[in-house]
Structure formats: C-alpha cells, structure tokens
Amino acid sequence: MPAPRDRHLREMANCIRFLSMDAVQQAKSGHPGAPMGMADIAAVLFRDFMQFDAAEPHWIDRDRFILSNGHGSMLLYSLLYLTGYKDMPVEELKRFRQVGSKTPGHPEYHHADGIELTTGPLGQGVAEAVGMALAERIMNAQFGNNLVNHYTYVFMGDGCLMEGISQEAISLAGHLKLGRLIAFWDNNSISIDGATSLAVSDNEVERFRASGWHVLEIDGHDTDAIREAIVTARSVTDKPSMIACRTVIGFGFPTKAGTQKAHSDAPGEEEIAGARAILGWNAPPFVIPEDLLAEWRTIGARGASTREAWVERVKQAPEKLRQEFERRNEGKLPEDWRSAIAAAREEFVRDGKELATRQASGAVLNHLFDAIPELLGGSADLTPSNNTRAKNQVEVKPGEYNGSYIHYGVREHGMAAAMNGIALHGGLIPYGGTFLCFSDYCRPAIRLAAMMDIRTIFVMTHDSIGLGEDGPTHQPVEHLSALRAIPRLAVFRPGDAVETAECWEAVLDNPRRAALLALSRQPMPLLRQESSTENRSARGGYVLLEAEGGPRKLTLMATGSELHLAVEARTVLQNEGVPTAVVSMPCALIFNEQDAAYQRAVLGDTLARVAVEAAVQMSWDRYLGLQGRFVGMHGFGESGKIGDVYKKFDITAEAVVRAARDSLRAV
C-alpha cells in the first residue's frame, strides 16, 4: 500500500473503510471495494470542502453529495454515522441490508436524512447530479449568491460511465457550462467480471474533455493531490469538472485489493484481520476510536455557523424576494394558482374547438407559467410537437440560467433523470416532453421518480396509433400498460381539453407523486362543456354520461382519444333501448385508490362492460372481468392516415357497439 502523505487523514479514511468492511462482513453481502477505494477522497472532501450541517440536513443551501455508484452504499452510510446524522446510529450500520433498516443495499431516498436521492441503477446518479447542479444555477440566477450558492459533488464508478445515460448527462452538463458540478471518477479498472479492459477501451479523460468538461488526473489515495484538485476544480466557473482518481479497489485488503473479489464479495474474517494489520487499525468491529469520532462529529457540526449566517441573509433579503424564496423551498404553490386552471377551462369551453390534448396541454401551460413561476419546462428536441414551451418562457442557455425552459436535446433518458435531480434539489417543478413511445428510453428514471415519490412531470405526446404516418416504430401500443404497472406512478390520459386542464391540476396538487401525461397528436371533440369548475378527473375515473331510460345495463370505459368513440357508441346503444353509461378513466392509479363505494358507483353493478383504448388490453383486465370485452390493439401499428389506421385495427364506434352486444350476451 502506498504511504500516505497525511497520516491523520488516512486514519479518518480508515474509519470509513472499517465500518464498510465490518458491515459487509456481518451482512455476508455488499460491495466493500468502492468504499475502501474512495475513502481517502471522501475524507478530504468532507473535512475540507463540504458545506453541510448534520443537525439540519434539509438546509437548502447545503452542498449536495451523490453516490452514483450506489452499490458502494456503505461509504455514504459510514459518512452519515461519522458526521452525526441523528437517524444513522451505528446500530443501523449493523443492520446493513436487512429488512426494515435505513441501510439497504443501495441508498434510497427517504430512508435516512443525508441520502439525497435513490441510486443503484448505474449512471442515474450522474444524470441526477447534473439536474441538481442545473437547479442550483437557475435558483442562483433567480435569488442571488446570498441565498443560493453551493456545489454538487458526485462519486461515480467505471460502471456508471459504461452506461449510455452517462454520455447524455455529461454532454448536457458540458454544454450548459455547469461550473459548480464536480465529479470524482473511481478509476480502479475493475468490474464484476474482472478487469474493465474485458469490455472497455474508452479514453474517459478525453471523452469528458470533448464534452466540454475541465478534467484533472490524480492519485486517488494522495490526500494532498485530492485537495489540490478540488481547489482547482472549484476555481473553474465555466465548466463542470471531472477528477479522474486512480484508486485501488478494496484498498487495504491483503489479497483481494485491486481484484474483482474486492468488488462485491464479503471479505471474510481472515481478510479483515489482514487489513487491520496493514492499516494499523486495532479497534474492534463497528468501533471508532474516540478521538477520530470526535473529529468527524466536529466536521458534521462545523456547518452550523455557515447555515446560521445564511439564515440571517435570508431574513435580511428584500421582503418580496424572501417570501418567494421561502414559499418555493417549502414546496407550496402560489395561493391563486388554480385560477390559471379555471381560466384555461373557460377558454376551452368558450371556444368549443376540437383540440389535440397536446395542444390543450400547451394552452394550460400558457396560463400556468404566469401563475407558477417555479415551473421549469423542457423537451428532448420535440418542443413544437410536445407543446411544452409556454409563450412567456425564456430559454436556459450555456452560462445564462435566468430562464425557465431547457432544450435537453435528443437525450430522453438523461432528461428524465436530470428532472429527478431538479425536483429533489427543491425550489423548482420540472416537466419535460418527448413521444410516449420513447418512454422506454426514460423508463429507469421514471421508475426511480415513482420510487422516490417526487413531483417529476413527464409530458408524453403522440400517445397512440393516432400519430398515423410515422408508423409502428413510433406508435406506442404496450406503453400505457407498462407505465401503469409502475407502482405509484400516476399515468394520466385525458379525453379532451377540459380533462387535460383537470389532469394538470391533479398533477400539481400532489407534491409527492411522479406523474406522466399521455397526450394525443390528433384533435378530438370537446366532451366536457359544463361551466362548473369541479375537477371530475381528480378521482381518477368518473361517470361522464349516465345511463338513461332505466337501470344501467352496460358500462363503456375509455381514455384519451377513444373517449369520444365510447360516447358515439352510447348514442347507438341508447337508441336500441340499452341504458348505457360512459366512464372516463383518465388515471387508473388514482381511481384504484378511491373507496370501494365510489368505485362501484362509477363502474356500476352490471358485468356487461367494454373498454376502448388504442393500446393493449392488459391494464383493463381488472375492470372487465370474464364478461367484459376490449376494443383496442393486439399487435403493432401501421403507417397511414389516422382515420385509415383506426379503421384497419377496428377501433371505431361501430366496433364498440359490436363488443357491447357481445358482452351483453355473455352476462
């Protein structure tokens, strides 16, 4: 092992190393290699640079620390314990990877203070860090250095950089010149299979330089070099910085250091005993010498004076600026924001036009943007198609952050993950658009947004075979069911302009829920023409048209651009003497959360039911039962004019009528 230049810092780093190896050994699983290899970097960063206060973990102007290589979670858990976070006592380290612990195998947001976001799927943390750094710059531009002025630090491994999302993220960060983003690459040349040379020959240093980053190369165990590199990186204001740290995975292990066996294997008692001898560590498992623990706790408390000075600056800020800053950071919407929804609804009803729901969404955003200044929009190079830019929005440009609209480029996955970082930073509400079929490219980040219960808003247009000529590659068929299968993700598919406004209201109403809006390319009639401002979509499903002429015998269910087909079919069936109700189901997740009495009232007692949606059947089965019938897609789409495509796949009002008759016969 190389001799340390700063023996005391090596001892502080060893606190991380031995807590990590002890926890992994007790759990009989885990990833000790990264925590042991990156411990020296973490010790320097936290001792000499990190701005935080362990007693007030949600202080908005704290530096953000993200562990993108989340399999090395014991590094983060060790830091939280050492610096004195109240909900990370040593007992939680002893419960590493156990059910109900605050120390799962990968860091999870909400499990413990100090865990800024959920990481584990490699590369997500890199992209989320880009979002956090971007949010910091935008908030800084809006509120000034006195209120927002902090850094985002991210640790990332070889695997993070192999994942494609990393290129999307680093390209975006370099383009936007995010100078307060500093990334540390754990360059240990080892992966689970063995040497990274088995699969990778990239020159990562030149890759980052080509993407507009400032790059330094250092020995990741030389604490003086680490410190000098961070000082240099912090002095570069017009580029993000990547510090390539040459490290030894499993640093300190006598036989496994520098090998794949250090990556994810429990080390074994003999290996730990050898590490204790090599590193001169005499304390028993999970015990930190008092002098070292006291120094770490001092680091955790050191930021209190900085935070208190910041609190005073907030108090001294101009009243209007201070009130807006505090409102945003508390996650509260402006008091009169619903008037924007009401204005949009009134506009739709007054005009009575056929509108694609993507157009309706754009019209809603025109009203919302003036009412909710923290909305931060964007699109993955589809702004005119997604209708995501409000008329008064100003673009965020490289080095110019006093805007509210981001051109993410053709980087759907990077956009989705960056939006998660923006949402987690606080003070901004991100939404971003692409085509629904490209939700496949965004899915890992969408899943994490749902898992973290954060208000990231995914605006997905061109939501069915209704995009016509672009053909089956761009026509989402299975996507609605696949997205509805993600727990806690609210998938909204409005059926007309008024429902679109209602869905936006429902999305914004819930600060702890990820949401996706599936919007049409093709126009559809205005079905909701009442003047009432009641949000009927807020309960997920409702009776659009009740049965007439007797007790309900049939229920037709639909969403989006197929809702009007159900209405047309109902007219035919009512004329045939079949009392038929039409149920609009803009959000199945929310409908499923309603009480049983409400669900029964909406769906009706009849078993004769038909669902119509230009997608696969899967997410409708729970409502249809054995006697129900489905009108929709059973394969992929086809290129052609919209009307011709719908006719080819027999998604028509006539098909709904036939399915209804069949269901009635089956009851």
Side-chain angles (χ1 to χ4, degrees):
M1 293 295 156
R5 292 191 182 184
D6 187 328
R7 292 186 178 276
H8 185 62
L9 258 176
R10 174 57 55 78
E11 289 179 346
M12 294 185 69
N14 286 344
C15 297
I16 299 170
R17 290 189 171 100
F18 283 97
L19 287 173
S20 297
M21 71 176 82
D22 289 342
V24 171
Q25 180 61 23
Q26 179 151 306
K28 298 296 187 286
S29 71
H31 295 76
M36 295 176 70
M38 300 191 81
D40 292 313
I41 308 165
V44 174
L45 177 63
F46 273 74
R47 191 190 75 168
D48 297 341
F49 297 98
M50 277 288 292
Q51 174 178 278
F52 73 107
D53 181 359
E56 295 289 343
H58 304 293
W59 165 34
I60 190 67
D61 204 31
R62 68 192 181 278
D63 287 343
R64 305 304 200 270
F65 175 71
I66 294 119
L67 186 69
S68 185
N69 45 342
H71 54 271
S73 57
M74 271 309 305
L75 182 145
L76 178 55
Y77 302 150
S78 297
L79 286 166
L80 297 181
Y81 163 65
L82 290 167
T83 54
Y85 281 78
K86 291 180 181 178
D87 57 355
M88 191 58 69
V90 72
E91 287 75 21
E92 288 296 337
L93 306 188
K94 295 176 181 179
R95 299 175 63 211
F96 180 52
R97 289 184 158 227
Q98 305 307 304
V99 172
S101 75
K102 296 180 179 180
T103 50
H106 296 82
E108 295 185 29
Y109 184 60
H110 290 317
H111 274 228
D113 286 336
I115 300 173
E116 299 284 3
L117 44 80
T118 297
T119 57
L122 293 176
Q124 291 289 326
V126 176
E128 289 170 315
V130 171
M132 284 192 163
L134 176 57
E136 188 275 338
R137 287 292 83 193
I138 292 172
M139 291 286 285
N140 172 270
Q142 294 177 4
F143 294 101
N145 287 338
N146 280 341
L147 303 189
V148 182
N149 196 25
H150 54 266
Y151 285 87
T152 301
Y153 299 102
V154 57
F155 280 13
M156 57 192 186
D158 293 301
C160 293
L161 299 187
M162 291 185 211
E163 292 285 0
I165 189 176
S166 70
Q167 181 56 38
E168 296 184 25
I170 68 172
S171 175
L172 180 63
H175 170 72
L176 292 173
K177 301 184 183 299
L178 299 179
R180 288 195 158 240
L181 172 62
I182 300 176
F184 299 84
W185 171 31
D186 182 20
N187 180 18
N188 61 45
S189 300
I190 294 294
S191 63
I192 291 177
D193 278 0
T196 54
S197 59
L198 291 169
V200 179
S201 302
D202 300 353
N203 186 327
E204 297 291 2
V205 167
E206 293 306 318
R207 175 186 168 202
F208 273 79
R209 285 195 178 120
S211 296
W213 286 58
H214 169 247
V215 182
L216 301 117
E217 297 180 76
I218 63 170
D219 177 347
H221 301 296
D222 182 336
T223 53
D224 288 349
I226 296 166
R227 186 181 302 106
E228 291 167 9
I230 298 173
V231 169
T232 301
R234 285 165 59 105
S235 71
V236 177
T237 59
D238 62 345
K239 292 182 178 181
S241 291
M242 191 273 268
I243 304 175
C245 306
R246 188 64 184 170
T247 60
V248 177
I249 192 169
F251 183 97
F253 283 149
T255 68
K256 295 183 178 181
T259 74
Q260 70 192 89
K261 291 186 179 297
H263 186 280
S264 54
D265 294 350
E269 297 294 348
E270 186 175 340
E271 195 76 8
I272 291 177
R276 278 179 158 78
I278 290 171
L279 296 175
W281 189 264
N282 298 317
F286 296 105
V287 174
I288 302 298
E290 289 184 10
D291 59 331
L292 291 174
L293 184 59
E295 187 164 356
W296 272 111
R297 293 294 162 85
T298 299
I299 291 169
R302 181 187 59 208
S305 59
T306 304
R307 181 185 57 78
E308 289 164 3
W310 172 83
V311 169
E312 285 303 312
R313 291 197 301 275
V314 173
K315 290 179 180 178
Q316 297 302 318
E319 183 177 2
K320 187 176 180 180
L321 184 74
R322 175 181 55 79
Q323 289 177 345
E324 177 68 4
F325 183 68
E326 291 175 343
R327 178 190 68 77
R328 294 235 213 138
N329 291 320
E330 290 170 3
K332 296 179 180 178
L333 296 177
E335 289 185 4
D336 61 345
W337 73 274
R338 292 183 201 278
S339 63
I341 299 293
R345 288 180 57 146
E346 289 171 9
E347 178 183 304
F348 297 144
V349 173
R350 181 181 64 249
D351 293 346
K353 296 178 181 177
E354 288 195 355
L355 279 180
T357 51
R358 63 168 176 161
Q359 293 175 295
S361 175
V364 173
L365 285 169
N366 283 334
H367 290 279
L368 282 175
F369 174 70
D370 293 332
I372 307 176
E374 59 264 43
L375 283 173
L376 181 66
S379 170
D381 198 48
L382 288 167
T383 297
S385 293
N386 296 149
N387 294 95
T388 42
R389 184 176 177 182
K391 59 186 177 183
N392 293 330
Q393 280 184 296
V394 175
E395 297 171 353
V396 173
K397 298 178 181 179
E400 299 177 20
Y401 307 109
N402 196 17
S404 59
Y405 193 82
I406 301 164
H407 292 286
Y408 285 102
V410 188
R411 304 184 183 99
E412 296 92 349
H413 197 181
M415 173 186 73
M419 287 198 300
N420 286 345
I422 292 165
L424 288 159
H425 178 277
L428 298 166
I429 300 174
Y431 68 90
T434 186
F435 289 173
L436 184 61
C437 61
F438 300 145
S439 62
D440 285 342
Y441 287 1
C442 306
R443 188 179 178 87
I446 294 173
R447 181 174 183 265
L448 287 185
M451 193 177 295
M452 292 187 284
D453 296 313
I454 56 176
R455 186 168 48 194
T456 307
I457 305 169
F458 305 95
V459 180
M460 303 285 180
T461 68
H462 295 58
D463 67 349
S464 73
I465 59 172
L467 61 90
E469 291 87 346
D470 279 348
T473 61
H474 282 52
Q475 292 171 3
V477 171
E478 76 278 19
H479 298 72
L480 286 168
S481 284
L483 290 162
R484 288 168 181 154
I486 298 176
R488 304 203 295 267
L489 175 67
V491 179
F492 291 87
R493 189 168 186 248
D496 73 354
V498 168
E499 277 198 0
T500 303
E502 291 180 340
C503 289
W504 266 109
E505 183 178 21
V507 168
L508 291 168
D509 243 342
N510 195 330
R512 296 288 179 267
R513 173 168 276 163
L516 185 146
L517 290 159
L519 306 171
S520 74
R521 177 197 181 197
Q522 74 272 34
M524 56 190 71
L526 185 69
L527 300 173
R528 294 276 305 282
Q529 300 185 33
E530 72 269 19
S531 59
S532 169
T533 59
E534 176 194 0
N535 189 331
R536 300 176 72 187
S537 301
R539 299 187 75 173
Y542 66 96
V543 179
L544 174 66
L545 296 171
E546 189 49 273
E548 297 175 350
R552 187 192 305 188
K553 291 186 177 180
L554 178 72
T555 300
L556 304 179
M557 302 172 285
T559 72
S561 49
E562 290 70 63
L563 184 58
H564 75 94
L565 299 180
V567 172
E568 292 170 21
R570 174 186 179 272
T571 300
V572 174
L573 292 161
Q574 283 285 160
N575 289 338
E576 292 179 354
V578 181
T580 302
V582 173
V583 169
S584 177
M585 191 77 73
C587 184
L589 177 78
I590 296 177
F591 180 72
N592 294 340
E593 293 174 347
Q594 305 305 306
D595 60 76
Y598 179 79
Q599 292 183 27
R600 284 195 300 271
V602 170
L603 296 176
D605 295 328
T606 177
L607 297 179
R609 297 174 182 176
V610 176
V612 53
E613 187 170 66
V616 299
Q617 177 176 336
M618 190 174 298
S619 54
W620 288 98
D621 286 340
R622 68 179 294 164
Y623 310 121
L624 289 174
L626 295 177
Q627 290 82 17
R629 297 294 182 264
F630 179 73
V631 176
M633 295 296 294
H634 303 280
F636 295 108
E638 184 167 318
S639 177
K641 295 186 183 303
I642 294 173
D644 293 341
V645 174
Y646 269 81
K647 287 178 182 177
K648 174 181 174 56
F649 293 105
D650 203 21
I651 304 175
T652 63
E654 292 79 12
V656 176
V657 171
R658 290 196 304 272
R661 292 167 180 160
D662 192 32
S663 182
L664 287 164
R665 285 192 294 268
V667 174

